Amino acid sequence: VYPAPAVGAALQRPDELAIERHTIFTADETPVIYCINTIPLWVIPGSLVREIVANPALSEPIFTFFDDQCKQHVEYRTGTIRPDIARNCYADALGCDPITPVLVIDEVGYNIDGQPVLHSVEYYPGNFMASELVRRSAIMPPPRQAAGA
């Protein structure tokens, strides 16, 4: 497929074909993640493209697939995290009410040369995702000396 304009721009190849994979991850048969991975065709060895179209499971797990089959290690990813509601995020695939809160992660994966090789959008409905943060001030105070030291 030709990726959506924003995805093609993120991959820096707006006019090139890509494989787009839609995957639903479940817990106890309940959808907890809906993921759309877009992989530019130049990343995938030619003989493998038809096999993946016929059997998408060949490209899972995705990062192992990139390392072993494509010889394109995803070195780092950049992205955004934003809230939305299921109505705007494949509510049918998520199996939830259209007004359910959804956390959306939209990211681009880059190889060692800084070339974008993967675009992913992940949708997490309801309370299935939690993150913990550790924050510190930019300037750390000096460590305190123990009493009697």
Side-chain angles (χ1 to χ4, degrees):
V1 299
Y2 286 99
V7 174
L11 291 170
Q12 299 175 6
R13 293 172 182 261
D15 299 322
E16 293 188 23
L17 290 169
I19 286 182
E20 187 176 276
R21 295 210 45 249
H22 295 243
T23 307
I24 298 172
F25 297 91
T26 61
D28 297 326
E29 298 185 28
T30 300
V32 294
I33 305 171
Y34 182 72
C35 181
I36 303 170
N37 287 319
T38 305
I39 306 168
L41 288 188
W42 73 266
V43 173
I44 304 169
S47 61
L48 197 52
V49 172
R50 283 195 175 113
E51 293 178 50
I52 293 169
V53 170
N55 183 5
L58 293 174
S59 61
E60 292 293 337
I62 192 85
F63 295 111
T64 302
F65 169 75
F66 269 87
D67 287 343
D68 296 348
Q69 301 299 319
C70 301
K71 308 302 183 210
Q72 293 284 333
H73 179 71
V74 178
E75 190 70 24
Y76 66 97
R77 293 175 283 165
T78 62
T80 59
I81 300 173
R82 64 180 171 79
D84 209 325
I85 57 173
R87 167 181 321 135
N88 303 327
C89 306
Y90 301 93
D92 291 341
L94 294 170
C96 58
D97 188 285
I99 61 168
T100 300
V102 175
L103 185 64
V104 181
I105 300 176
D106 188 329
E107 62 187 359
V108 177
Y110 297 85
N111 67 12
I112 191 75
D113 297 320
Q115 297 172 302
V117 294
L118 171 67
H119 181 269
S120 286
V121 182
E122 301 161 13
Y123 302 93
Y124 297 84
N127 295 321
F128 290 113
M129 174 144 178
S131 296
E132 293 184 21
L133 299 174
V134 175
R135 293 181 169 191
R136 66 177 190 180
S137 60
I139 300 173
M140 296 292 294
R144 294 186 179 163
Q145 295 290 331

